[in-house]
Amino acid sequence: MAIENIDKQNFNTAFYQFNKSKRLYETIKDSANISYILIRIAEIHQINGDYYGSKEIVTEALPYIKKKGVYTASVNNMLGVADKELSLYDDALFYYKLAANEHTDPLLKLGSIQNMAAVYIQQKKYDKAIFILDSVSNKISENKTQLKSKATRLDNLGYAYFKNGMAEKGLHLMNEGLQIRKETNDNYGSIESYLHLADYYSKIDLQKSDEHALAAYNVATKLNSVDERLEALQILISNDNSPKINQYTQHYFSLNDSIIKVRNKFKNKSAKIKYDSQKEKDENEKLRLEKAENQLALQRDKYLKIVFGIISAFLLVLIAILVRYFKNKNKAIEFKTSYNTETRIAKKIHDELANDVFNVIAFTESQPLSAETTKENLLQKLDDIYSRVRGISKENNSIDTGLDFTQSIKEMLSTYQTKERNVMVTNLESVEWEVIDEVKKITISRILQELMVNMKKHSQANLVVIKFDSDAKSIFINYMDNGIGCEKTKIAKNGLQNIESRLNAIKGNIEFDTEPDKGFRAKIEIPKHTQSKVKKIAAAF
C-alpha cells in the first residue's frame, strides 16, 4: 500500500504506512525489508526537501544491510544526492563514487557516474565534468531503456561545454538532449533542458531565455515540481525582460513561503509518526515483558513438584547405569571398565547430589515455605540439583558415531573451555573417520573424556592441546597440558588406568610422559583395522 501511494504522490500516507510496515518487519527480524523501507522513507524526505532527515534515515538503514550490493549502493547514492542539494559537493562526490563501485547494474552504475559530473558542474570544474561525460558516451546504447540516460549525458555535457567557453558546441548538444527527451516523453528531464537553455540565452537573447524558462515553469507546474518552478521564476526575474516581472516576483515569494510551510509541516508530522511508532513499540515490549514475568511466576510455583521428578530422573539414570554394569560383568575387561565408570559416577552422585538432596529435604522441613525469601532459596537449590543431574547424564549419554562424530567430539571438549583455560583441537577433520568402526569411535570419545576429567580435577592447567593424526594403519592422538603434572607412579591413582583398559579392548596403546611441575603428555595409538571384532558394549562406558 505504501509503494502504491508513493507512486501516486500521496507521500504523507506512504510515510505512515512505511513506518507501520517497518514495525511489523522488526518483530520478525526481516533485515532486508527493513533496510528497503528505510531507503524509501529517506526518499520521501528528499522529495519534501528534508535532506538532513534523509541522511539520518539512510544511515539508520546501514546496520540492517548484511553485505554490499544494490542496497548499499542506493544508500550511498541518496547520501550523494542529499549532500549535493546541501552544497556539500566533496562529500557528494565521495558517496557517488562509492555507489558507482557497488552497483552491479551497468545502467545504475552509469547514473552514479553522471551524478558525479553534475556535481563537478556545480563546482564549476567543467573540464572534469566534460571528461567524465565523454568517457561514458560509448557505454550508453541506443535502446529505449537507455535513451533517457543518453539525453541526460548530452544535456549536461552541452551545458558544461557552454560554461567552459564552447557555447556553439554546447548549444548543439543541449538541443539534441532536449529533442530526445521530447521524443521519449521524458517530461521531468525536459525541465532541466529548458533551464539550461534559458541560462544559455540569458546572455545573448532574453526573449528566447524567457521562452525556455516559461516552458520549464509550465512543465514543472504540471508535475508539481516546486524546486524547478522556483528556479524558472528566478531566471524570469533576473532577465527583467517581461511586463509580468512584478507578477513573477510576487509569485516566487508566495511559492517559496508555501513550500517552506509545507516542508516544515512534513518534518513535524514525520517526527510525530516516528515518536508514535517508537511509543507503540515500547508499549508492546512492555506487554511482552509482563507476560514473560507472569509465565516465570507460574513456573516457579511448580518447582516443588519438579523436585520429585528430578529425584526420579536421578534414580532412573542410576538404575540404567547399574543395569549396564551387571549385563557386562561376564568379561573381565568389560567388568573392570564398567566398574570404574560406575564408581566415578557413584562418587559424583554421593559427593555432589546426595548431601544436597538431603539438605533440601531438611530445609523444606525446617523453614516456612510461605515466605518469599524461603521460596527463592529453595528454588535456587533445586535448580542447582537439576543442573548437576543434567551434567551427569550428559557425561554418560550415547555418542553420535555417524556423520556428526567430529562435531560431537568438539562439543564435548568445548565444555572444558573456560575463561582461565584454553582447549585447542587440531587436525580432527584430517582423519578418515568414515573408515573407523563404531566401537573405536566410542572408545576414542570416552578416552578423551577421561583425559579431560583428569585434567580438570588434578592438573590446574590453563592450556590443553589435543592433536590428531593418522596414516594408512593407525590413528594417533597426542595430548598435552601445561598443568602441575605428577609422578609416573601416581598415574594409576588418578584414574587413568581406565584409559589403558579401554585401549587394550581395541588393541591400542598409550604412553604417558609426566613430571611434577612440567605438565602432562599422553601419546595414543589406535589401529584402524583389527583382526577380531570387539563388542560395542566393551566401549560403551
Side-chain angles (χ1 to χ4, degrees):
M1 291 168 65
I3 294 169
E4 289 177 358
N5 276 305
I6 203 172
D7 290 338
K8 295 175 182 176
Q9 297 189 346
N10 298 327
F11 300 121
N12 288 336
T13 304
F15 186 90
Y16 170 78
Q17 290 167 335
F18 272 135
N19 274 281
K20 189 172 182 180
S21 178
K22 174 175 170 286
R23 291 199 302 274
L24 296 172
Y25 278 122
E26 285 173 341
T27 61
I28 59 173
K29 296 180 172 56
D30 188 339
S31 57
N33 274 304
I34 292 171
S35 55
Y36 169 78
I37 287 170
L38 287 169
I39 291 170
R40 297 307 302 267
I41 291 174
E43 182 184 336
I44 296 174
H45 278 271
Q46 289 196 355
I47 290 170
N48 283 274
D50 182 14
Y51 297 106
Y52 285 111
S54 73
K55 291 177 68 174
E56 180 184 346
I57 295 298
V58 292
T59 303
E60 184 184 341
L62 288 173
Y64 293 100
I65 302 174
K66 302 301 182 184
K67 60 181 180 179
K68 290 185 178 181
V70 64
Y71 281 0
T72 54
S74 296
V75 166
N76 286 319
N77 197 69
M78 295 196 74
L79 287 170
V81 171
D83 283 338
K84 174 178 176 288
E85 295 300 325
L86 294 169
S87 301
L88 302 172
Y89 297 125
D90 290 336
D91 291 342
L93 287 170
F94 171 78
Y95 288 117
Y96 282 144
K97 287 176 183 176
L98 287 180
N101 290 331
E102 291 167 354
H103 271 307
T104 54
D105 186 307
L107 194 58
L108 295 174
K109 182 186 291 287
L110 196 60
S112 294
I113 293 172
Q114 292 201 88
N115 286 342
M116 290 168 58
V119 174
Y120 283 129
I121 291 173
Q122 291 292 329
Q123 290 181 311
K124 299 183 180 179
K125 297 178 181 179
Y126 303 116
D127 288 334
K128 287 188 175 182
I130 291 169
F131 175 79
I132 288 176
L133 294 169
D134 274 335
S135 67
V136 300
S137 61
N138 60 345
K139 297 180 182 178
I140 303 176
S141 67
E142 296 295 330
N143 61 47
K144 291 183 179 180
T145 59
Q146 294 196 32
L147 281 176
K148 288 185 178 181
S149 182
K150 179 180 180 180
T152 301
R153 186 191 73 84
L154 290 171
D155 182 51
N156 284 335
L157 182 58
Y159 191 68
Y161 273 126
F162 153 58
K163 288 293 188 179
N164 209 31
M166 290 175 274
E168 187 174 345
K169 186 174 183 179
L171 177 62
H172 172 74
L173 292 171
M174 286 188 287
N175 280 324
E176 186 179 350
L178 177 60
Q179 186 60 33
I180 293 174
R181 282 168 164 167
K182 288 180 178 179
E183 291 172 356
T184 57
N185 294 320
D186 182 8
N187 294 325
Y188 185 79
S190 69
I191 298 173
E192 192 72 11
S193 289
Y194 286 131
L195 290 172
H196 283 167
L197 288 168
D199 187 17
Y200 173 85
Y201 284 114
S202 65
K203 302 296 188 294
I204 58 175
D205 190 336
L206 291 178
Q207 184 175 349
K208 284 189 175 182
S209 177
D210 285 352
E211 289 173 0
H212 285 97
L214 280 171
Y217 178 82
N218 291 331
V219 176
T221 301
K222 289 179 182 178
L223 298 179
N224 197 27
S225 183
V226 180
D227 290 322
E228 283 77 7
R229 288 170 69 189
L230 290 172
E231 191 174 345
L233 286 171
Q234 280 182 322
I235 295 174
L236 290 168
I237 294 168
S238 62
N239 284 345
D240 196 10
N241 187 47
S242 171
K244 296 182 178 181
I245 185 68
N246 292 330
Q247 182 180 342
Y248 293 148
T249 303
Q250 185 178 358
H251 197 182
Y252 176 86
F253 286 113
S254 175
L255 186 61
N256 191 51
D257 290 342
S258 297
I259 193 60
I260 289 173
K261 290 179 181 178
V262 169
R263 288 176 176 174
N264 285 338
K265 184 178 179 181
F266 168 77
K267 290 179 183 178
N268 293 332
K269 188 170 185 177
S270 65
K272 184 178 185 304
I273 290 174
K274 288 175 68 176
Y275 171 79
D276 291 342
S277 176
Q278 185 61 42
K279 184 178 178 182
E280 182 178 342
K281 181 180 178 181
D282 292 342
E283 289 175 351
N284 290 336
E285 190 66 30
K286 183 179 179 181
L287 289 173
R288 283 194 293 270
L289 182 60
E290 289 176 354
K291 182 179 179 181
E293 289 176 346
N294 291 335
Q295 290 176 341
L296 182 60
L298 291 173
Q299 189 175 10
R300 285 175 177 173
D301 291 339
K302 296 179 182 179
Y303 271 176
L304 284 174
K305 295 180 180 179
I306 293 175
V307 66
F308 298 105
I310 293 173
I311 295 172
S312 299
F314 153 71
L315 292 174
L316 288 173
V317 171
L318 181 60
I319 291 170
I321 294 171
L322 292 173
V323 169
R324 279 192 172 186
Y325 166 73
F326 285 110
K327 279 185 178 180
N328 294 284
K329 70 176 182 178
N330 58 324
K331 287 190 177 181
I333 188 169
E334 296 169 4
F335 175 81
K336 185 177 181 180
T337 303
S338 302
Y339 176 78
N340 289 335
T341 301
E342 293 292 338
T343 301
R344 174 172 56 81
I345 295 172
K347 187 175 184 301
K348 178 171 281 193
I349 291 170
H350 178 271
D351 293 346
E352 298 184 10
L353 290 178
N355 289 337
D356 287 346
V357 172
F358 178 79
N359 288 336
V360 168
I361 295 172
F363 181 82
T364 57
E365 292 173 347
S366 62
Q367 299 294 326
L369 295 180
S370 59
E372 189 65 29
T373 55
T374 304
K375 288 182 181 179
E376 292 295 330
N377 199 351
L378 176 60
L379 291 173
Q380 183 61 44
K381 292 176 183 293
L382 294 177
D383 187 61
D384 183 55
I385 293 172
Y386 179 71
S387 298
R388 294 189 186 191
V389 171
R390 283 177 59 92
I392 293 172
S393 177
K394 188 173 182 181
E395 286 181 7
N396 297 277
N397 61 4
S398 61
I399 296 168
D400 188 342
T401 59
L403 296 176
D404 295 328
F405 173 70
T406 57
Q407 183 62 32
S408 68
I409 292 292
K410 288 181 181 179
E411 290 177 355
M412 182 272 289
L413 294 174
S414 69
T415 60
Y416 296 90
Q417 175 95 13
T418 67
K419 292 181 180 179
E420 294 77 26
R421 183 190 308 120
N422 189 18
V423 179
M424 299 176 61
V425 183
T426 61
N427 294 343
L428 177 60
E429 286 83 0
S430 66
V431 179
E432 296 179 357
W433 294 108
E434 61 273 11
V435 303
I436 309 301
D437 64 49
E438 182 178 338
V439 172
K440 290 179 181 176
K441 290 180 180 178
I442 295 172
T443 301
I444 289 169
S445 179
R446 295 302 186 198
I447 288 172
L448 291 173
Q449 195 171 50
E450 291 272 4
L451 286 170
M452 298 305 289
V453 169
N454 181 73
M455 175 276 299
K456 183 178 179 181
K457 291 174 63 177
H458 303 293
S459 75
Q460 301 177 23
N462 57 32
L463 176 64
V464 179
V465 178
I466 302 173
K467 181 179 179 182
F468 290 81
D469 207 347
S470 67
D471 59 19
K473 295 181 179 180
S474 301
I475 299 170
F476 305 95
I477 303 173
N478 289 324
Y479 171 92
M480 183 200 76
D481 67 46
N482 64 349
I484 60 175
C486 67
E487 296 288 347
K488 287 188 177 181
T489 56
K490 296 181 179 179
I491 288 178
K493 293 181 180 179
N494 289 343
L496 295 176
Q497 70 273 26
N498 289 345
I499 296 177
E500 293 180 322
S501 299
R502 296 182 193 278
L503 286 170
N504 288 337
I506 59 171
K507 310 301 181 185
N509 62 77
I510 184 168
E511 294 179 9
F512 298 108
D513 182 13
T514 179
E515 291 181 22
D517 300 323
K518 292 188 177 181
F520 180 84
R521 292 176 176 80
K523 294 183 179 180
I524 301 169
E525 181 179 358
I526 300 170
K528 288 185 176 179
H529 307 283
T530 53
Q531 292 181 351
S532 61
K533 290 187 177 180
V534 182
K535 292 182 180 180
K536 294 181 181 180
I537 197 66
F541 290 95

